[in-house]
Amino acid sequence: MRSYRVRERLHEELLPHLLLARGVGPAEHEDFLHPDFVRDSHDPFLLPDMGVAVERIRLAKEKGEKVAVWSDYDCDGIPGGVMLAEFLRTYGLAITHYIPHRHKEGYGLNKEGIDELAEAGNTLMITIDLGTTEVEAIEYAKTKGIDTIVTDHHLEPEVLPAALALINPKLAKSKYPFDGLCGAGVAWKLVQAILLKDRPAGFAEGQEKWFLDLVGIATLSDMVPLVGENRMLARNGLLVMRRGRRPGIAALLKLLRISAHTLTEDDITFMVSPRINAASRMDSPQAAAALLAAQGEDESKTLAAELNRINDMRKGLVAATVKEVNKRVAGMDLTLSPIIVMGNPNWRPGILGLVANKLVEAHGKTVFLWGREGGDTIRGSCRSDGTVNIVELMQSAGDAFGHFGGHAASGGFSLEEERVHTLPARLNDAYTALGFGTAAVVEVVVDRELSLAELPQAHQSLKQLAPFGVGNEKPLFIFRGTTIASTRMFGKAQDHLEVQLEQGGARVGGIAFFSTPDSFSKKVVAGERVDVVGHVEADWRGSPRIRVVDVL
């Protein structure tokens, strides 16, 4: 159950009020609203081992070495890998972009992939969005004659790998003033560092900014804080994408009927990113990389259609798995445990996070789901109901897992198949030991009360505050005393809700995806007078509307 509290008014004008509420002081307002490439870009050589990495790459160029870029298979690693591979080819290197198969190889480096790169004659490997924990694999690469440069942003473990260079702003020894970069953002700093020391002939000053479309996709997709340097990278990334210079992105946007000129962070995170991620979930990470790297219009159209087809397959697989899971849940007594734990060796681990999200929404419980990754290894995903810290819960379960990681709200894990039968009991014991409990009421802070008549001006102000994300959340408003003039369901499956709202002569549309009139605190009925909680956004024509979060 949720309750709503309107934030104390910090300024009469909306924009200063929202900035102050986000911890941006008056002296910082102009800088926040107007990100600047030069001002907001920090010196890349403040990152650990950057000098060593640049000199090794310059040596590889001089000696004509073969170089591999090994990236993660998600929406941070794939754009970051394409970006770095493109730049290094322009720099004059022979590059292989290696993306591991999510189900056959799993996350991170592996011996089989390293063997393949060594046999192909690669003597230098640069990682994107991984490597900080890869002690054994990097040591193995060294025995194969491969030096490793790590670019990563994950937390520092107790033991670091003996990489030639480990570039990570989260390392304790880092002097870099901002530790919130995503994996592609760290790789971008490597590009900047190389150009500071050795800009290729014909590569004009500032030409590297055209790579920011890929850095922007990764920054917007990877749940990093959209403040400081990240805000600048995300804003500039959107500006580059709006120019339509990259054929693959342009083709995908056209297929999805998204106007490049008005592209927003929501278009990236709700439409583009899921399709990039779907590629690896459905065994085809190279399809996403090929689209982002495509140069020709015909090739881009073909690849965009293929990526969309893969995403449709992913949707179908998720729907089928949700249906199977719900059948099993219907036969369970959910009062016996605060956690739903289940699995099937035939379930594809790459989609289980999406399935777990739907279970949490439907049942309000923390969920652990597992499937088989290949061989005897079981891999799964978990999501919190908001009352449980997922990482603490898995830590408390002791040796129940082979590996695990994540954040407070979500995570992933692996374990041996013989341990799955004891997993529910282990997690229940850990839950009890940690003293987690169900929160009776979750308080949600609303940024401001608005009238429908104020919506157009508020919409213009919010454009300056965008892009929104972690650290700069989309403002939440309440519209009191509005009348529901009409409602309708729409979409292929009739699973989205549209409402028309009226108040004092003003009329505004509202929308709630994957919702029905019964999805809110109060049922949506035409003619009723209600309070509406929601975000302000643009509709397909560019006019302001309300993204409905709740109806009271």
Side-chain angles (χ1 to χ4, degrees):
M1 183 177 177
R2 290 177 290 185
S3 68
Y4 296 91
R5 173 176 62 84
V6 179
R7 191 187 303 277
E8 176 188 355
R9 187 163 291 210
L10 303 174
H11 197 283
E12 284 306 305
E13 295 181 25
L14 178 61
L15 196 53
H17 165 79
L18 293 173
L19 286 165
L20 291 168
R22 281 150 181 73
V24 182
E28 303 167 309
H29 284 189
E30 282 303 306
D31 285 355
F32 189 90
L33 294 174
H34 303 100
D36 181 82
F37 181 80
V38 175
R39 183 194 67 222
D40 297 330
S41 292
H42 303 298
D43 179 359
F45 288 98
L46 294 175
L47 284 161
D49 297 339
M50 185 63 84
V52 174
V54 170
E55 290 308 310
R56 181 64 183 86
I57 292 168
R58 291 177 72 181
L59 179 63
K61 179 182 177 182
E62 290 173 13
K63 294 172 63 178
E65 296 180 66
K66 292 182 178 180
V67 179
V69 170
W70 185 309
S71 73
D72 191 15
Y73 43 61
D74 67 1
C75 218
D76 184 4
I78 290 177
V82 172
M83 182 273 300
L84 187 61
E86 275 190 17
F87 169 74
L88 291 176
R89 289 188 186 111
T90 302
Y91 184 64
L93 288 167
I95 298 294
T96 296
H97 182 191
Y98 190 95
I99 309 172
H101 190 287
R102 179 191 288 261
H103 307 300
K104 294 177 182 176
E105 298 176 77
Y107 173 79
L109 303 174
N110 63 79
K111 290 183 178 180
E112 293 77 9
I114 292 169
D115 286 341
E116 182 180 325
L117 295 177
E119 288 166 12
N122 291 278
T123 51
L124 176 62
M125 176 171 64
I126 306 172
T127 73
I128 312 287
D129 193 30
L130 58 91
T132 301
T133 61
E134 299 281 357
V135 175
E136 292 182 11
I138 288 174
E139 193 62 39
Y140 181 74
K142 197 180 298 184
T143 69
K144 291 291 182 176
I146 298 177
D147 289 334
T148 303
I149 294 171
V150 170
T151 72
D152 196 6
H153 70 127
H154 291 98
L155 294 174
E156 180 173 354
E158 289 185 11
V159 179
L160 289 170
L164 178 78
L166 209 172
I167 306 168
N168 185 335
K170 288 193 173 72
L171 298 187
K173 67 177 182 179
S174 175
K175 296 179 181 177
Y176 201 73
F178 181 66
D179 70 354
L181 294 169
C182 68
V186 179
W188 164 252
K189 301 309 293 185
L190 177 59
V191 170
Q192 286 190 306
I194 293 170
L195 290 172
L196 284 172
K197 292 292 186 182
D198 187 23
R199 182 175 290 271
F203 196 84
E205 191 76 35
Q207 186 177 334
E208 63 272 20
K209 292 180 185 178
W210 292 115
F211 289 119
L212 289 179
D213 52 358
L214 298 173
V215 181
I217 288 174
T219 301
L220 289 167
S221 304
D222 204 46
M223 302 297 287
V224 291
L226 292 186
V227 297
E229 192 166 9
N230 279 346
R231 178 170 169 79
M232 178 275 293
L233 292 172
R235 176 78 72 89
N236 279 285
L238 286 168
L239 290 175
V240 173
M241 283 184 271
R242 288 170 190 156
R243 298 287 293 273
R245 294 256 306 195
R246 188 171 293 274
I249 294 176
L252 184 59
L253 294 179
K254 186 175 182 179
L255 181 69
L256 299 176
R257 299 181 181 178
I258 297 171
S259 169
H261 298 299
T262 57
L263 188 72
T264 69
E265 67 275 19
D266 283 348
D267 295 323
I268 298 300
T269 55
F270 290 117
M271 301 297 285
V272 175
S273 303
R275 283 162 173 80
I276 294 174
N277 280 328
S280 69
R281 295 183 196 280
M282 302 302 293
D283 298 342
S284 307
Q286 289 293 349
L291 175 72
L292 296 179
Q295 297 298 314
E297 186 175 338
D298 290 341
E299 177 194 17
S300 296
K301 285 181 181 178
T302 301
L303 289 167
E306 173 64 8
L307 202 61
N308 208 42
R309 184 190 68 80
I310 290 169
N311 190 57
D312 287 341
M313 288 174 56
R314 187 269 306 169
K315 286 181 181 177
L317 189 59
V318 169
T321 307
V322 168
K323 186 175 181 180
E324 181 182 344
V325 167
N326 281 332
K327 280 185 180 178
R328 290 175 59 177
V329 170
M332 297 169 59
D333 184 351
L334 295 181
T335 64
L336 297 178
S337 173
I339 308 172
I340 296 174
V341 185
M342 65 173 64
N344 184 327
N346 296 319
W347 288 348
R348 191 184 293 262
I351 65 161
L352 293 182
L354 305 172
V355 177
N357 282 336
K358 294 183 180 295
L359 270 185
V360 173
E361 291 171 7
H363 302 289
K365 288 180 177 286
T366 294
V367 175
F368 282 73
L369 299 178
W370 55 263
R372 195 195 300 276
E373 189 75 73
D376 295 327
T377 302
I378 297 296
R379 297 189 187 276
S381 290
C382 43
R383 298 294 185 267
S384 171
D385 65 350
T387 68
V388 172
N389 183 309
I390 284 289
V391 173
E392 288 183 8
L393 185 63
M394 289 192 285
Q395 285 174 335
S396 184
D399 61 355
F401 301 101
H403 299 281
F404 65 86
H407 311 281
S410 64
F413 59 88
S414 67
L415 70 162
E416 296 303 315
E417 188 168 4
E418 61 266 20
R419 293 177 181 263
V420 299
H421 307 294
T422 61
L423 187 59
R426 297 290 295 273
L427 287 170
N428 278 321
D429 290 346
Y431 181 96
T432 302
L434 290 168
F436 289 130
T438 303
V441 178
V442 176
E443 184 179 74
V444 178
V445 177
V446 175
D447 282 290
R448 187 100 160 201
E449 179 179 341
L450 292 179
S451 66
L452 295 186
E454 293 177 293
L455 208 60
Q457 183 58 47
H459 183 227
Q460 292 302 315
S461 296
L462 292 176
K463 287 181 181 179
Q464 299 179 64
L465 202 58
F468 298 108
V470 176
N472 182 32
E473 285 78 11
K474 188 175 290 188
L476 188 64
F477 301 104
I478 188 166
F479 304 86
R480 297 192 190 277
T482 63
T483 299
I484 301 172
S486 64
T487 71
R488 77 177 184 98
M489 300 299 294
F490 70 98
K492 286 183 181 179
Q494 294 290 293
D495 53 357
H496 309 312
L497 175 67
E498 182 182 36
V499 297
Q500 290 295 319
L501 303 171
E502 293 181 345
Q503 182 191 59
R507 187 181 177 97
V508 172
I511 199 165
F513 293 110
F514 302 104
S515 299
T516 70
D518 295 308
S519 298
F520 309 101
S521 297
K522 181 176 182 178
K523 185 174 182 177
V524 174
V525 178
E528 289 281 314
R529 187 179 173 89
V530 298
D531 296 340
V532 176
V533 178
H535 306 292
V536 176
E537 64 181 22
D539 64 15
W540 63 273
R541 295 161 299 192
S543 301
R545 72 180 179 195
I546 298 171
R547 176 72 68 94
V548 179
V549 172
D550 205 355
V551 177
L552 312 174

